[in-house]
Amino acid sequence: MAIYVLRKLAFFLGALFIASVAIFLLIRGAGGNVAAVVLGKGATPEAINALAHTYGLDRPMAVQYFDWIGNMLSGDLGRSFRTNESVADLVTARLSVSIPLAFSGLVLGLLIAIPVGTYAARNVGTPSGALFALVSQIGVAVPVFWAGILLSLLFGVRLGWLPTGGWTDWSVSPWGAIRSLVLPVLSLGLIMAAVLIRYVRSAVLDVMNQDYLRTARAVGMTRTEALLKVGLRNAALPLVTIVGLQIAELIGGTVIIETVFSLPGLSRMMLANVAAREVIVVQSTVMLIVVFVISINLIVDLLYGLLDPRVRATR
Amino acid sequence: MREKMHLITQRLGLLTAAAALFAGALGGAATLAEAASPRAAENKMVLVARQDPGTLDFVKSNLTAMRLWIPANVVEPLVYFNKDGSVSPGVAESWTISDDKKTYTFKIREAKFSNGAPVTAEDVIYSLNTMKASPVVDYAAAYEAVTAIDKVDDRTVKVTLSRPSQNFWQGMGAISGLIQPEASAGTIATNPIGTGPYKLASYTTNSTFEFEANPTYWGEAPPVKNVTVRIITDGTAGLNALEAGEVDALPVITIDLWEQLSKRELDKKYSLVTYPQVGEPTYAVLNQKLDKDLRETIAKTLDRQSYNDAFGAAWGAENTCTFALPNQVWYSPESPETCPFPYDMEGAMAAIAEKGYASTPLEYASLSDVPDLSLPADIMVPAMQAAGFNVTRNAIDLARYSQLIFQGRPPQFDVTIMSGDANPVQFACPDPSKAGWSTYCSPEYTKALADADVALTQEDYVAKMKQAADILRKDAVIVPLIAKKGVGLFNPDLKGFEEPRVNVAIELNKLHW
Amino acid sequence: MILSKSSHLPNPAPLDVPASPPARRQRRKLPRNASLLVGIVLTTIFLAVALVSFFYLPSNPNIPVIRNRLLPAGTAGHWLGTDVLGRDIVAQLMVGARTSILVGAGGATLSLILGLIAGLAAASSGKIADEAISRGADILLSIPGMVTALVLAATMGSGALTTILALTAFFTPSFTRVVRSAAIGVLNEDFITAARLYGRGKIFVLIRHVLPNIAGVMIVQFTLYFAAGILTEAGLSYLGVGVHRPSISWGLMLNEAQQQVGISSPLAIWPGLAIVLMVLGLNLLGDGLRDVLDPKLARRAS
């Protein structure tokens, strides 16, 4: 067991290192310079070079890389060149949008997917089961931004019940913040539900064929009881893995929903900073996300290893 | 029995009274709701900004997003140039200009910055010198003729020029003349300090600015004490917020929203103001290295009305061949006299066939993340191709555009389209090797601008500027298409809007409920 | 899909798993290959439309005709109306089909090739090579797909090629995993051991024996990634980092339509509908194929 954990940790650190180099090289490879973006149209090359110098962008690449890594390891994520805000502040502010969005979307998706997927599994092969399966297939095919645009058209423009976009901060008005989140969470949740239904259905189908379910029936539980009490618990494990992985993807991947509804979230901030070539902000933010994702993967792997000894043996 | 009746009557009476009160309250509430926004009672207002400026450093940034709010409200220039041509005192309470227009003496008023520090001559000298060294060419250009900025005494600063300069004097009423305290220069990017009627209470990027009345302001206190500027990047969301009563004004509404605005009849429910200062000309830029006849032929493929129609709101933009905005004296709308190369598709096609222009590959650089510019590009490129030109469209993002187009020497494009400042000086090139982003260089044009700058009278100045504008028109390098007006929507009870005096700054202290 | 790489997760059961477990009551069953049929039909329609677009278009999708702007659906000559610059919607949808297919198939194909090489190498080489490749794939998967796409677009300029590369970067790691586990399954079979004992080289074994046996899984994954690629490309174009005019993409049409949301809603509906139908067709095709080719193979790959 200890070796298993150590190996996982070693991989974890190695992965972080490689990812950091990859991110650094990738963003630096992009043409353009934040100094040019700041100074805009009329700037002279001298002014741009001077500004780039004050930002420290003309130092050798290796120096800049180790400087950045060194700072990150000691907790300093760096600052935006244009506003001098610390990356930590920038990220924290954005998380207050992205986390509620991602989390609520996932929860809504699960709330819909679990009952629907279970029903579809129970009724496999019949028209009603197939209908749900079809609906889920369609849902997976719907681009999330289209869902967002349509919802915003209906509830925002036609009915006027909810804002079509924009964000009211929690500190300004919690109710306003919730209102700003309703349509985005709905769009996200519906699509997530479509994606998850298939996995729930698959997991429940697997479980339905197992012996312990028959045992439960034999002991006297009704079909439903057996499914709910015994079946779902066993179906939960793979589902938890999938949910864990989805969380990881969501944090960095909500940029489209954030764009549709003009929410100042993490992904959109990254988009804006990539566009402005704010290299430090992008590097540090991406590293944070990568750390988060790899950590989740690590935890899931460890949990699996813990819960299922067979996994440890074959790896 | 009578008692019972009495009781019933009493009850009825009470009920009626209660109903009447309730109705009255409802009715009253209804009237209140129809009246001013809830913020009127609290003496606050909420305005909408479309873009986040990123930095509030007005020395280094020339983003409109910053210029709309910080000058005039938080930081003041030395003087104010009014619409009627008169000049009002700003940080300078009085001034004298020598007859040869080469010496300016400013008497600094006894005032305090919003942080309590007194305004000193040193602060003024620091501010002017900082602007003189600004990396933004527009700001530093005002100081081109300045040879010395000296302290005469604690309350007097003298500026000496090598030659008369209209640009300098105008600059003292614009961003080039903004006065800041030397001691607080370090935090200018997040918290600029000035002598203006407001001070910046807070700035949250991508979210809000909060302004509150400056307690140490030297002039009349602003009627609205607390101002919030909300940054709503999505135009439609901004209009929705106005309609929902969540905000009180959208002072700057860009062209992509005008059609929506009139379709939703917002111009009937709210006060629509149009003002030229925030307007922008949209113009094509043709590489000067291209043959002059070729450039003129390209100009003939441009149907200005289609650019106007594309946005569905022809009331907000005017076709023009002059690089200027309606508030500049040398401006004139499209007319046979002022358009040397009017739209003539047949003529263009004939010229292309005759001179074999189809064999010259042309590269069109298109800024992909700005809808104001990609829509005109969608019109321009097919039009040029229909005429017979061999054009390829190169869509690039802002960072790469900055590098290739703004900084590219020699120019890395043949044709591009731009929208921005109507400042004619940006096309001057006193030193050909340092020509600006368009790399347009014409000695006649530069000379005309220089002559205008040195002009001693307003009439001379205007005549020379008109001459410069004419040279630009005839050269077919900078080809204006439409002059977009600045458009704003205000809650009908929020009155007092006046055209900006300091560049494009919305003067918040003029607004009142 | 939220620009997600859910495809790298174990594949869920195909949608019309046929026979019910013996203990259950009999219920009416659907035709086995319903999803395959629908999938084939939809996919063929779109392929046909894209092909036809090279020979015939109702009108030019790129030339503005300002006086025709925002015509409603059902206008003569413009069955679905025109956009803000008067360009025909049907023509744009047809050309958009080309882009979706090109980019989606391009990304899926490139990932297939790279994934095959890496996956087969991992399955058949020593433990260290296997670890290295697998861990490498894991690392690539941990960088959010969006970020890779954005940075690639910033580095190389946005466009069809960049989008294809971004898609390749997303899908290759998951493809590698799928190939690897399928190949490991095959490599454990007896006939492989027999072939090796007989003296066949490793490469020969891989190509001659393993490849044909994992082909089914590959085809299924290909169609699923093709579908995911179309969704992703639409998303990237919507954000402005995909293709640009004069290339047209359904995502780009949605981007342009968003400007008109307060004015003309139908513009936002047609491109989205096209995306849904095409992706649905491909997904159903993939699921149906998986069902037909060999249900056991599908299990092995998960």
Side-chain angles (χ1 to χ4, degrees):
Chain A
M1 182 63 194
I3 301 185
Y4 181 70
V5 174
L6 273 169
R7 283 180 57 198
K8 288 290 163 197
L9 275 174
F11 162 62
F12 177 71
L13 292 169
L16 284 181
F17 173 66
I18 297 180
S20 72
V21 174
I23 293 164
F24 181 83
L25 289 175
L26 212 51
I27 186 68
R28 298 285 170 151
N33 182 331
V34 63
V37 173
V38 167
L39 294 177
K41 258 204 307 209
T44 58
E46 295 81 30
I48 292 185
N49 289 335
L51 196 58
H53 182 74
T54 60
Y55 292 156
L57 289 174
D58 50 356
R59 296 174 297 164
M61 282 293 140
V63 170
Q64 293 194 53
Y65 173 75
F66 284 110
D67 198 37
W68 168 57
I69 288 289
N71 282 338
M72 277 202 75
L73 287 173
S74 59
D76 175 13
L77 295 171
R79 300 185 158 269
S80 155
F81 293 123
R82 294 173 299 165
T83 66
N84 210 32
E85 262 180 301
S86 77
V87 176
D89 286 339
L90 280 172
V91 170
T92 328
R94 300 290 178 282
L95 284 178
S96 72
V97 179
S98 290
I99 290 188
L101 175 63
F103 186 69
S104 314
L106 197 52
V107 166
L108 181 63
L110 281 172
L111 283 176
I112 298 176
I114 293 182
V116 174
T118 315
Y119 180 86
R122 282 193 54 188
N123 295 291
V124 76
T126 69
S128 62
L131 182 67
F132 276 103
L134 182 66
V135 166
S136 143
Q137 269 284 32
I138 295 178
V140 165
V142 172
V144 75
F145 54 98
W146 193 53
I149 293 176
L150 290 180
L151 282 173
S152 120
L153 261 177
L154 178 60
F155 291 105
V157 177
R158 287 280 151 81
L159 293 173
W161 292 348
L162 290 163
T164 54
W167 169 254
T168 315
D169 199 54
W170 297 104
S171 52
V172 169
S173 155
W175 176 235
I178 292 178
R179 280 183 82 222
S180 315
L181 280 176
V182 171
L183 288 180
V185 167
L186 200 57
S187 318
L188 204 55
L190 287 175
I191 305 293
M192 288 249 67
V195 172
L196 290 172
I197 282 177
R198 311 179 69 196
Y199 291 106
V200 170
R201 181 178 169 278
S202 175
V204 173
L205 272 176
D206 270 349
V207 156
M208 269 174 16
N209 292 334
Q210 301 293 353
D211 287 338
Y212 51 77
L213 209 60
R214 259 189 277 247
T215 319
R217 295 294 309 282
V219 169
M221 296 190 199
T222 66
R223 209 155 151 263
T224 322
E225 267 186 325
L227 205 56
L228 285 176
K229 286 192 188 154
V230 178
L232 271 182
R233 277 218 328 257
N234 281 281
L237 188 59
L239 209 57
V240 161
T241 321
I242 285 158
V243 167
L245 293 170
Q246 291 285 58
I247 291 180
E249 275 179 26
L250 274 177
I251 294 296
T254 47
V255 62
I256 291 191
I257 275 288
E258 289 171 14
T259 306
V260 174
F261 291 103
S262 300
L263 297 170
L266 195 62
S267 317
R268 247 179 116 208
M269 178 197 88
M270 267 200 296
L271 183 61
N273 279 292
V274 168
R277 305 293 189 267
E278 285 265 13
V279 289
I280 299 283
V281 175
V282 174
Q283 283 162 206
S284 299
T285 314
V286 174
M287 269 318 289
L288 277 178
I289 295 180
V290 168
V291 168
F292 180 66
V293 171
I294 297 189
S295 307
I296 297 232
N297 284 348
L298 181 65
I299 292 174
V300 167
D301 271 350
L302 287 176
L303 269 176
Y304 240 103
L306 201 62
L307 295 167
D308 193 349
R310 293 176 295 173
V311 170
R312 268 177 275 151
T314 52
R315 285 209 179 239
Chain B
M1 181 60 179
R2 246 197 3 226
E3 280 170 10
K4 236 193 191 159
M5 282 301 296
H6 191 60
L7 219 58
I8 293 174
T9 329
Q10 237 186 12
R11 294 260 166 86
L12 261 175
L14 271 170
L15 216 57
T16 327
L21 256 170
F22 189 58
L26 259 181
T31 336
L32 257 175
E34 275 162 5
S37 107
R39 289 165 288 277
E42 299 166 16
N43 213 7
K44 299 183 176 174
M45 61 183 174
V46 179
L47 298 101
V48 170
R50 188 88 185 264
Q51 216 192 351
D52 177 67
T55 173
L56 301 179
D57 184 345
F58 52 86
V59 176
K60 298 216 183 78
S61 162
N62 67 348
L63 287 182
T64 311
M66 178 279 299
R67 290 185 282 140
L68 280 171
W69 311 107
I70 302 299
N73 294 312
V74 177
V75 196
E76 291 187 305
L78 280 174
V79 296
Y80 284 98
F81 283 90
N82 299 315
K83 190 170 170 185
D84 57 10
S86 62
V87 191
S88 299
V91 178
E93 66 180 1
S94 69
W95 54 91
T96 49
I97 309 177
S98 64
D99 286 333
D100 64 0
K101 307 265 198 237
K102 295 211 274 191
T103 313
Y104 290 75
T105 316
F106 297 98
K107 194 122 173 56
I108 313 299
R109 78 174 57 243
E110 296 250 6
K112 292 205 168 87
F113 289 110
S114 57
N115 60 356
V119 182
T120 63
E122 281 80 10
D123 289 321
V124 173
I125 296 175
Y126 170 76
S127 304
L128 298 184
N129 275 323
T130 316
M131 276 302 178
K132 185 162 183 280
S134 165
V136 179
V137 171
D138 281 350
Y139 303 161
Y143 294 90
E144 250 175 64
V146 170
T147 52
I149 306 175
D150 302 305
K151 171 178 171 172
V152 171
D153 63 47
D154 279 343
R155 303 237 67 82
T156 318
V157 173
K158 182 171 81 169
V159 182
T160 320
L161 288 79
S162 57
R163 55 169 172 82
S165 171
Q166 293 279 351
N167 288 337
F168 168 73
W169 181 223
Q170 304 281 345
M172 291 305 100
I175 299 194
S176 307
L178 291 177
I179 304 300
Q180 56 169 311
E182 185 171 3
S184 311
T187 51
I188 191 179
T190 46
N191 187 18
I193 309 274
T195 56
Y198 288 93
K199 64 176 186 175
L200 185 69
S202 75
Y203 165 48
T204 320
T205 38
N206 273 308
S207 182
T208 47
F209 293 88
E210 299 274 350
F211 296 98
E212 31 183 65
N214 179 3
T216 59
Y217 181 52
W218 52 268
E220 214 181 285
V224 180
K225 302 273 174 254
N226 290 311
V227 184
T228 307
V229 176
R230 276 179 60 187
I231 300 175
I232 303 183
T233 40
D234 177 52
T236 310
L239 291 177
N240 293 341
L242 182 66
E243 249 192 325
E246 291 164 11
V247 301
D248 302 310
L250 271 73
V252 181
I253 301 182
T254 45
I255 191 171
D256 52 311
L257 294 169
W258 294 351
E259 183 173 17
Q260 219 191 113
L261 190 160
S262 34
K263 235 182 154 215
R264 289 165 72 163
E265 300 198 328
L266 293 174
D267 48 342
K268 306 210 169 37
K269 295 186 224 164
Y270 297 91
S271 312
L272 182 79
V273 299
T274 58
Y275 56 109
Q277 285 80 2
V278 160
E280 291 182 336
T282 300
Y283 52 99
V285 182
L286 309 177
N287 190 332
Q288 194 179 14
K289 301 271 165 31
L290 296 170
D291 173 54
K292 179 134 200 273
D293 285 333
L294 175 59
R295 299 200 312 264
E296 290 175 14
T297 313
I298 295 179
K300 290 195 193 140
T301 65
L302 305 172
D303 177 12
R304 289 176 170 75
Q305 190 57 41
S306 63
Y307 294 91
N308 216 330
D309 289 338
F311 291 105
W315 49 266
E318 211 167 56
N319 302 344
T320 181
C321 303
T322 312
F323 184 77
L325 283 175
N327 65 325
Q328 286 163 313
V329 189
W330 51 95
Y331 170 80
S332 45
E334 184 181 30
S335 73
E337 293 80 39
T338 59
C339 277
F341 316 110
Y343 177 55
D344 177 13
M345 191 49 105
E346 288 81 29
M349 288 167 83
I352 292 173
E354 182 194 319
K355 302 203 184 158
Y357 286 148
S359 56
T360 317
L362 295 172
E363 196 179 296
Y364 187 106
S366 154
L367 191 51
S368 58
D369 34 11
V370 180
D372 274 13
L373 295 177
S374 56
L375 205 59
D378 283 348
I379 300 176
M380 195 165 173
V381 175
M384 286 174 69
Q385 286 168 336
F389 281 115
N390 175 6
V391 191
T392 41
R393 182 169 172 176
N394 183 13
I396 40 188
D397 65 11
L398 180 60
R400 187 168 277 110
Y401 195 91
S402 296
Q403 192 186 30
L404 274 181
I405 312 298
F406 292 157
Q407 296 307 315
R409 311 267 187 280
Q412 303 292 311
F413 64 96
D414 292 311
V415 186
T416 188
I417 206 164
M418 187 41 56
S419 181
D421 253 330
N423 184 358
V425 178
Q426 63 184 293
F427 300 124
C429 75
D431 177 358
S433 66
K434 294 208 174 108
W437 75 273
S438 64
T439 61
Y440 169 57
C441 217
S442 152
E444 297 83 24
Y445 183 72
T446 311
K447 179 163 189 312
L449 285 180
D451 287 345
D453 194 28
V454 181
L456 291 173
T457 66
Q458 190 66 6
E459 294 77 31
D460 266 348
Y461 176 69
V462 173
K464 286 289 171 191
M465 291 304 288
K466 282 195 171 157
Q467 191 185 7
D470 207 41
I471 296 175
L472 206 56
R473 267 193 225 117
K474 299 208 171 95
D475 247 341
V477 173
I478 308 294
V479 186
L481 297 168
I482 52 176
K484 299 177 294 205
K485 298 182 192 159
V487 170
L489 276 177
F490 284 80
N491 183 305
D493 294 313
L494 188 58
K495 306 202 191 304
F497 175 77
E498 287 180 21
E499 287 181 12
R501 293 181 296 169
V502 184
N503 200 257
V504 298
I506 311 279
E507 293 187 39
L508 299 168
N509 62 336
K510 299 280 191 306
L511 297 166
H512 60 92
W513 289 106
Chain C
M1 284 168 142
I2 303 97
L3 214 60
S4 75
K5 295 171 286 191
S6 314
S7 1
H8 75 264
L9 299 170
N11 290 311
L15 275 177
D16 39 22
V17 170
S20 3
R24 290 161 50 81
R25 288 168 286 162
Q26 280 297 100
R27 289 203 192 168
R28 283 178 297 136
K29 287 180 269 193
L30 284 181
R32 264 189 82 140
N33 299 328
S35 70
L36 183 61
L37 285 171
V38 177
I40 291 180
V41 167
L42 280 174
T43 312
T44 318
I45 292 178
F46 279 102
L47 283 171
V49 165
L51 204 57
V52 166
S53 78
F54 285 105
F55 302 107
Y56 166 75
L57 287 171
S59 58
N60 191 302
N62 267 314
I63 295 188
V65 186
I66 305 281
R67 65 174 180 279
N68 282 343
R69 69 194 293 273
L70 296 176
L71 292 173
T75 323
H78 299 287
W79 313 321
L80 292 178
T82 59
D83 70 0
V84 68
L85 288 183
R87 301 169 294 203
D88 183 45
I89 299 283
V90 172
Q92 292 184 60
L93 286 176
M94 289 172 75
V95 177
R98 276 190 228 166
T99 312
S100 297
I101 291 174
L102 178 72
V103 173
T109 310
L110 215 49
S111 320
L112 175 70
I113 295 175
L114 292 176
L116 261 176
I117 298 176
L120 287 177
S124 60
S125 313
K127 191 138 176 276
I128 299 183
D130 185 9
E131 275 286 313
I133 293 179
S134 300
R135 297 302 150 231
D138 284 345
I139 293 177
L140 274 176
L141 279 174
S142 68
I143 302 184
M146 197 61 238
V147 176
T148 328
L150 287 180
V151 176
L152 272 175
T155 313
M156 299 175 29
S158 48
L161 183 61
T162 313
T163 313
I164 291 179
L165 285 178
L167 287 174
T168 312
F170 290 2
F171 296 141
T172 306
S174 359
F175 236 132
T176 308
R177 271 204 193 153
V178 170
V179 170
R180 178 180 168 278
S181 53
I184 286 183
V186 173
L187 283 170
N188 285 338
E189 298 281 334
D190 288 336
F191 69 90
I192 298 289
T193 326
R196 295 304 302 273
L197 280 173
Y198 193 63
R200 299 293 188 194
K202 188 171 87 172
I203 308 274
F204 180 85
V205 166
L206 284 175
I207 297 180
R208 179 72 178 77
H209 292 295
V210 177
L211 213 49
N213 278 290
I214 63 175
V217 177
M218 291 298 93
I219 292 175
V220 170
Q221 282 299 120
F222 177 83
T223 55
L224 295 177
Y225 284 152
F226 190 169
I230 293 176
L231 271 177
T232 310
E233 184 278 322
L236 290 175
S237 292
Y238 169 75
L239 288 175
V241 293
V243 303
H244 295 285
R245 297 260 172 192
S247 309
I248 300 178
S249 134
W250 294 331
L252 184 62
M253 288 175 75
L254 281 169
N255 172 309
E256 294 173 355
Q258 182 145 44
Q259 299 291 332
Q260 302 294 320
V261 143
I263 302 162
S264 171
S265 332
L267 285 179
I269 296 183
W270 308 118
L273 209 53
I275 297 174
V276 172
L277 288 173
M278 176 144 199
V279 171
L280 181 67
L282 280 169
N283 277 338
L284 286 176
L285 180 64
D287 273 357
L289 277 177
R290 181 197 292 149
D291 193 31
V292 156
L293 283 173
D294 193 339
K296 279 190 299 195
L297 268 175
R299 296 276 148 175
R300 209 187 272 154
S302 349

